[in-house]
């Protein structure tokens, strides 16, 4: 009997920026709103690269919804933005501040535990006034249906709850989006994987080593030949008293190259270029990882079904515009638009129209156009064609290509094209922009770095050992343990590695009845809940129970 | 629903807090007093009752004036609307019998009779487990002990409790009792909140109680012997039939292993450690 179940006008699942924006907007419109967050505290399950944008063209910004956000919840603003093209020791740096500032009201580095827990308090306060509120430690594990229609949510820790609107802001591995059949974990091409280290800085070191004032900060990006040919790049953002240093790679490329994400991160951390900022000192506060949807391919064009609306990563709303990655700002816009859509539909006594209204708003407010740009569709059809891609790659790498690079640099074309939002939005997902071109640019124009960087990042065992876990029941089940089906996870999982026995995935050779079998075994204890193995291995993937699993202190 | 929780201040026996003299006697002056750890479960049960049914939670203790802080701790750590301390020199050195009489009189003195009185399962210092049941006997109420889960039917004025049989976690029986009733919460007691509304109220109450605990004295009433109109012959040392014949320290278990302390900075010492270990190290 579902009549005894609790009912709220709106249930928001997940209290990251998308969920917070949705909940605050619902509450402002007087909608009784319950927010359910599975972490022990908001932010304890969240990792992000670390930059949040407020776009001039966006319908909503996080500081518009949450006054004092910038002074109380974020780290340093990004006032300078550089791309380093790397070939061995040679580096050619291009100033991308113009591209970064395009359509940007402001952009701040953030650490998610601090940011999201700050949002949590504000969201609880405003939603409590509507008769709802925010609860942590509650994992929503599915949709409640009546006669096939979505009418609410089911939870591990609570009895089922009915709602007139369900806003799923439950992140990149949204179980609700998958329950509704709107998203899947099928194609590695649709995803990036990011890993990140938060590096402690002595007091005053950020200002001194980066040459910035207290209210200034820098973003440095890295691409070229330092990542074993895997398509992707690295980043370094300055926080108040720490650095966020990470790498982001196309998941299909990671799998194809059988690269170890933590080793690629180490390749960046130990590159001589970083010596000027690390200066031989290295104290890693936290290692984290996250799956990142590529909105160009993964953003759902119609992210709703019945009473359910998806926002943020749950809907694949993560825009990679060349080197610039924008996710949280779109989650904020989408969350607030979904809330707006429901309030309007409810006022007109037609709550069932909320989803369609949300979709229209995403389109009319220009959000969908940024997430799935039309020019990319055309350019990628040509640029990602195998024959064309290989020809372009060879051309850039040729002596003719390098001559062209030098000419382009002299004419100022190189800097201009990197700073063009259009060029960046149509960049094809091939080796050329990530690896070949940056390497060729560095070889043609770069200056060798003379410094030695002798920092020693911790090994994987120490990185896992330093994380906080409240281990519950295993939450991932290996469906097919053959190496062919699930072996890719051994390297691609950010807390596993070949020849490392302490990670999630291990490969082993078992001798049975005279023949050898190459198998994969799984232990979910060190899991950082990134979702990589849901895509690259054959698993039954779920989040751990509320409050269980990894707890990020930095995020 | 008015619930009352009985608590006691006990020495903080946690390592690093507790202090013993050379003869193994507890150094009371050097050891802080805290709320009896088992009473936390009783407070959790009272809070669950308030979350589900509304009403007030009172917290009562008998002890010296310093026990005010013990009551404050209960208010801050779990929950309490108001605090009652039964405190008077005449009540000093009471055994469990005299304490029960005093507490029972304290309960009678409340403006609003409780529907349920909760107690924790024995104190960390006395370990008798007598005071709760004896206080209940004075009240002539039913008692349910070793409770691990609790449901209340307000209309029928009954409670239904799951209790461990003989303190055995393997065997659980469900019992029903009329209100008012005395309930002893087992350390295995787990409050359950399966409704979002209950969790939200729990969160509100936890925030409120912490704020209230900062000015706990505004919510505290102290009853002395005169206020309670207690006959001095029935309370304190004079009212205590227990005679302590003597106290023997619990002998330390004999050590079966020999230990040698080596400073890691002492090279020669460390070398001998490695020498000792060598035969046990597996060489490939």
């Amino acid at each position: 009997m579902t009549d005894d179940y609790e009912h709220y006008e709106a249930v928001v699942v997940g209290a990251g920026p998308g969920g917070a924006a949705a909940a605050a907007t619902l509450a402002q419109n007087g909608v009784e709103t319950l927010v359910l967050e599975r972490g022990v505290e908001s932010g304890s399950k969240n990792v992000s690269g670390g930059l949040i944008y407020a776009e001039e063209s966006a319908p909503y910004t996080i500081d518009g919804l949450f006054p004092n956000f910038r002074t109380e919840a974020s780290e340093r603003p990004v006032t300078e933005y550089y791309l380093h093209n790397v070939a061995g020791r040679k580096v050619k740096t291009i100033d991308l501040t113009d591209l970064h500032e395009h359509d940007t009201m402001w952009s701040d580095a953030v650490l998610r535990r601090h940011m999201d827990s700050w949002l949590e308090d504000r969201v609880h306060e405003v939603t409590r006034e509507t008769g709802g509120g925010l609860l942590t430690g509650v994992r929503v594990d599915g949709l409640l249906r009546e006669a096939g229609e979505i009418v609410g949510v089911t939870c591990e820790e609570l009895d089922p709850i009915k709602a007139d609107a369900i806003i799923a802001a439950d992140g990149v591995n949204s179980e609700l989006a998958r329950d509704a059949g709107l998203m899947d974990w099928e194609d590695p091409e649709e995803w990036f994987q990011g890993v990140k280290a938060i590096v402690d800085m002595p007091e005053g070191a950020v200002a001194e080593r980066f040459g910035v004032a207290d209210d200034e900060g820098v973003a440095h990006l890295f691409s070229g030949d330092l990542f074993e040919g895997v398509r992707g790049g690295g980043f370094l953002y300055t926080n108040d008293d720490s650095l966020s240093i990470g790498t982001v790679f196309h998941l299909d490329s990671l799998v194809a190259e059988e690269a170890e994400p933590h080793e690629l991160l180490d390749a960046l951390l130990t590159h001589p270029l970083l010596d000027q900022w690390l200066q031989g000192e290295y104290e890693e506060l936290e290692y984290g990882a996250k799956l990142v949807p590529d909105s160009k391919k993964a953003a759902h064009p119609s992210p709703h079904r019945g009473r359910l609306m998806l926002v943020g990563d749950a809907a694949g709303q993560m825009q990679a515009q060349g080197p610039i990655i924008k996710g949280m700002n779109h989650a904020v816009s989408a969350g607030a638009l979904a809330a707006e859509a429901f309030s309007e539909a409810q006022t007109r006594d037609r709550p069932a129209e909320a989803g369609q209204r949300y979709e229209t708003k995403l389109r009319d407010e220009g959000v969908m156009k940024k997430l799935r740009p039309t020019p990319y569709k055309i350019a990628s059809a040509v640029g990602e064609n195998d024959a064309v891609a290989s020809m372009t790659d060879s051309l850039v790498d040729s002596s003719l290509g390098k001559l062209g690079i030098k000419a382009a640099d002299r004419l100022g074309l190189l800097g201009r094209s990197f700073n063009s939002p259009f060029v960046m939005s149509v960049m094809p997902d091939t080796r050329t922009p990530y690896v070949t071109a940056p390497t060729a640019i560095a070889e043609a124009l770069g200056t060798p770095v003379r410094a030695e960087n002798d920092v020693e990042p911790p090994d994987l065992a120490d990185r896992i050992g330093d994380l906080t876990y409240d281990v519950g029941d295993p939450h991932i089940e290996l469906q097919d343990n053959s190496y062919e089906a699930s072996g890719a996870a051994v390297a691609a999982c950010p807390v596993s590695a070949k020849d490392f026995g302490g990670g999630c995935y291990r490969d082993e050779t078992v001798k049975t009845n005279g023949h050898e079998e190459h198998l994969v075994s799984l232990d979910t204890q060190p899991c950082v809940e990134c979702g990589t193995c849901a895509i690259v291995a054959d698993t039954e993937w779920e989040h751990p129970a509320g409050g269980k699993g990894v707890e990020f202190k930095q995020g | 629903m008015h619930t009352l929780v009985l608590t006691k201040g006990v020495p903080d026996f946690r390592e690093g807090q507790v202090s013993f003299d050379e003869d193994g006697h507890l150094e009371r002056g050097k050891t802080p007093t805290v709320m009896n750890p088992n009473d936390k479960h009783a407070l959790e049960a009272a809070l669950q009752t308030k979350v589900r049914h509304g009403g007030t939670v009172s917290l009562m203790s008998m002890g010296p004036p310093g026990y005010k802080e013990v009551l404050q701790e209960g208010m801050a750590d779990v929950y309490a609307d108001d605090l009652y301390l039964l405190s008077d020199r005449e009540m000093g050195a009471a055994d469990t019998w005299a304490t029960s009489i005093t507490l029972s009189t304290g309960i009678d003195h409340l403006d609003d009779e409780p529907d349920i009185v909760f107690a924790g399962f024995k104190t960390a210092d006395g370990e008798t487990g007598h005071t709760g049941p004896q206080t209940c006997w004075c009240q002539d109420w039913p008692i349910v002990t070793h409770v691990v889960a609790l449901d209340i039917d307000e209309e029928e004025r009954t409670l239904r409790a799951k209790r461990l049989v003989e303190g055995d976690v393997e065997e659980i029986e469900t019992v029903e009792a009329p209100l008012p009733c005395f309930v002893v919460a087992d350390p295995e007691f787990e409050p359950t909140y399966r409704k979002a509304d209950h969790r939200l109220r729990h969160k509100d109450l936890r925030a409120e109680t912490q704020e209230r605990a900062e000015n706990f004295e505004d919510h505290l009433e102290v009853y002395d012997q005169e206020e309670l109109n207690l006959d001095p012959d029935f309370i304190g040392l004079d009212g205590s039939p227990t005679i302590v014949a003597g106290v023997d320290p619990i002998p330390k278990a004999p050590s079966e292993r020999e230990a040698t302390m080596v400073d890691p900075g002492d090279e020669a010492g460390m070398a001998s450690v490695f020498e000792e270990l060598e035969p046990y190290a597996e060489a490939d």
Side-chain angles (χ1 to χ4, degrees), chain A residues 111-142:
Chain A
L111 292 169
R112 293 294 298 274
R113 181 67 183 263
H114 175 61
M115 167 182 139
D116 294 26
S117 60
W118 183 89
L119 290 171
E120 176 189 320
D121 292 343
R122 271 122 206 105
V123 168
H124 178 65
E125 200 177 308
V126 291
T127 51
R128 196 77 191 103
E129 283 167 20
T130 68
L134 184 150
L135 292 174
T136 54
V138 177
R139 170 185 164 236
V140 173
D141 59 5

Side-chain angles (χ1 to χ4, degrees), chain A residues 274-288:
Chain A
L274 268 73
D275 179 65
Q276 59 187 305
W277 304 307
L278 299 178
Q279 298 186 1
E281 293 172 61
Y282 188 83
E283 197 198 328
E284 195 168 292
L285 297 175
E286 188 171 270
Y287 173 75

